[in-house]
């Protein structure tokens, strides 16, 4: 398991920084232990490369993507590429080894090609939007991107513009605006952050950071998407109550999401066809400010990265999809922001 830990925080944010990327190993029946730290500044997101290694983003004033490849039980630096962007916060990787990077502060989307280990920037897209929450939506803020289930499209969430942009992926990995529906407009002030698809591919779910909702989108027979329902993630109000990540589980027929400020994980039934979510339960995330989590269906474990305190909490998930509180294990990982299992 690899955990990305923020290495610095602004002076106004009272939190202990981490060391970079911590590699946790474990033996059967024992708790995971950290035995390696890879030096990366503010690794905001990690993603497997598809052939044993992984990519790490540096969230800072300059875009930076680092590629690590396996070396026995650890990893070593392979290559790095810099690009013009600020606040890189998310990436996804296509089977063709094209890397799509979301840059929050600059409101841009960067496309990088991995050609047999050589990283090359092949496209940068710029966005110009805004929304009614002026403290957070004075400009576009691309927070994440997601490949469609068939791999032919890419969706990008603009938290600042309340839009979900839609692109066709060309043979070389570059992006063209989707002709029939270049974007999906969400309600003003919602602040879309992360996305996931229902296993039937007809429905997409979007976490709205600012309005604390989950939007359900349905794709009709012509492939055009529209909002069919929305579900609140918390009854609490306030500028520091912020919904973050979400993940769909086919095994449990559930959607899971985390809410910072209330510091909780909540789960919802997808129902018979995925068109409407039904609240099932919630519990503490085991720490402060759960930025990200990963549900591993193969082991029935939920790993939650608590960014501002509490490290990574590991919960058992029951056969019915219920998160069993309290956490089974807590790992010391200050500034935890990203998790991948290798």
């Amino acid at each position: 398991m690899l955990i990305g830990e923020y290495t610095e925080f602004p002076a106004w944010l009272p939190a202990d920084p981490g060391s970079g990327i911590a590699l946790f190993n474990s033996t059967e029946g024992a708790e995971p232990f950290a035995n390696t730290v890879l030096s990366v500044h503010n690794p905001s997101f990690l993603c497997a490369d598809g052939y044993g290694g992984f990519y790490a983003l540096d969230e800072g004033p300059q875009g930076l993507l680092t590629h690590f490849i396996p070396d026995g039980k650890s990893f070593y630096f392979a290559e790095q590429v810099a690009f013009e962007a600020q606040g890189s916060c998310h990436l996804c990787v296509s089977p063709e080894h094209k890397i799509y990077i979301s840059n929050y502060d600059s409101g841009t989307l960067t496309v990088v090609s991995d050609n047999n280990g050589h990283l090359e920037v092949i496209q940068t897209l710029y966005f110009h939007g805004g929304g009614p929450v002026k403290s957070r939506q004075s400009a576009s803020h691309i927070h994440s991107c997601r490949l469609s289930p068939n791999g032919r499209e890419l969706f990008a969430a603009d938290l600042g513009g309340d839009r979900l942009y839609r692109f066709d992926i060309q043979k070389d990995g570059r992006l063209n605006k989707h002709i029939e529906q270049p974007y999906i407009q969400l309600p003003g002030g919602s602040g879309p952050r992360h996305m996931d698809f229902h296993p039937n591919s007809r429905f997409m779910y979007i976490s709205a950071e600012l309005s604390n909702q989950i939007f359900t989108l349905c794709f009709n027979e012509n492939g055009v998407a529209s909002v069919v329902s929305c579900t609140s993630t918390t009854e609490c109000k306030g500028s520091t109550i912020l919904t973050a990540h979400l993940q769909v589980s086919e095994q449990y027929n559930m959607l899971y999401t985390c809410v910072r400020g209330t510091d909780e994980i909540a789960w919802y039934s997808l129902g018979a066809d995925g068109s409407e979510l039904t609240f099932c339960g919630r519990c503490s995330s085991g720490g402060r400010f759960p930025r990200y989590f990963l549900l591993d269906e193969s082991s029935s474990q939920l790993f939650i990265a608590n960014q501002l305190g509490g490290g990574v909490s590991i919960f058992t998930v029951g056969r019915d999809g219920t998160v069993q509180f309290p956490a089974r294990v807590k790992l010391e990982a200050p500034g935890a922001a990203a998790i991948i299992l290798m």
Side-chain angles (χ1 to χ4, degrees), residues 72-92:
K73 293 184 178 181
S74 188
F75 296 85
Y76 69 90
F77 171 89
E79 188 166 355
Q80 197 172 63
V81 63
F83 51 94
E84 290 301 319
Q86 295 84 45
S88 302
C89 59
H90 185 276
L91 64 89
C92 67

Side-chain angles (χ1 to χ4, degrees), residues 48-60:
D49 64 8
Y51 40 85
F54 70 95
Y55 304 105
L57 274 181
D58 178 335
E59 183 177 315

Side-chain angles (χ1 to χ4, degrees), residues 198-219:
H198 189 278
N200 65 20
S201 302
R202 287 188 58 224
F203 298 98
M204 174 195 275
Y205 308 99
I206 306 166
S207 62
E209 176 173 325
L210 303 182
S211 64
N212 290 309
Q213 294 171 304
I214 303 293
F215 289 98
T216 301
L217 270 62
C218 179
F219 294 82

Side-chain angles (χ1 to χ4, degrees), residues 24-93:
F24 281 77
N25 286 327
S26 65
T27 56
E28 187 174 353
E31 292 186 6
F33 59 93
N35 66 346
T36 304
V37 175
L38 305 174
S39 180
V40 174
H41 173 265
N42 280 2
S44 58
F45 207 82
L46 311 174
C47 191
D49 64 8
Y51 40 85
F54 70 95
Y55 304 105
L57 274 181
D58 178 335
E59 183 177 315
Q62 168 71 55
L64 196 63
L65 177 70
T66 304
H67 187 199
F68 291 92
I69 59 178
D71 178 23
K73 293 184 178 181
S74 188
F75 296 85
Y76 69 90
F77 171 89
E79 188 166 355
Q80 197 172 63
V81 63
F83 51 94
E84 290 301 319
Q86 295 84 45
S88 302
C89 59
H90 185 276
L91 64 89
C92 67
V93 182

Side-chain angles (χ1 to χ4, degrees), residues 178 292 296:
H178 193 274
Y292 185 77
D296 179 34

Side-chain angles (χ1 to χ4, degrees), residues 10 31 38 51 56 74 76 93 105 120 125 130 140 161 196 203-204 207 218 229 240 245 249 255 265 281 289 301 321:
E31 292 186 6
L38 305 174
Y51 40 85
S74 188
Y76 69 90
V93 182
D105 290 343
E120 178 186 6
L125 298 176
S140 284
D196 203 357
F203 298 98
M204 174 195 275
S207 62
C218 179
S229 67
T240 59
H245 185 55
S249 168
L255 179 147
I265 186 90
F289 222 64
Q301 294 186 104

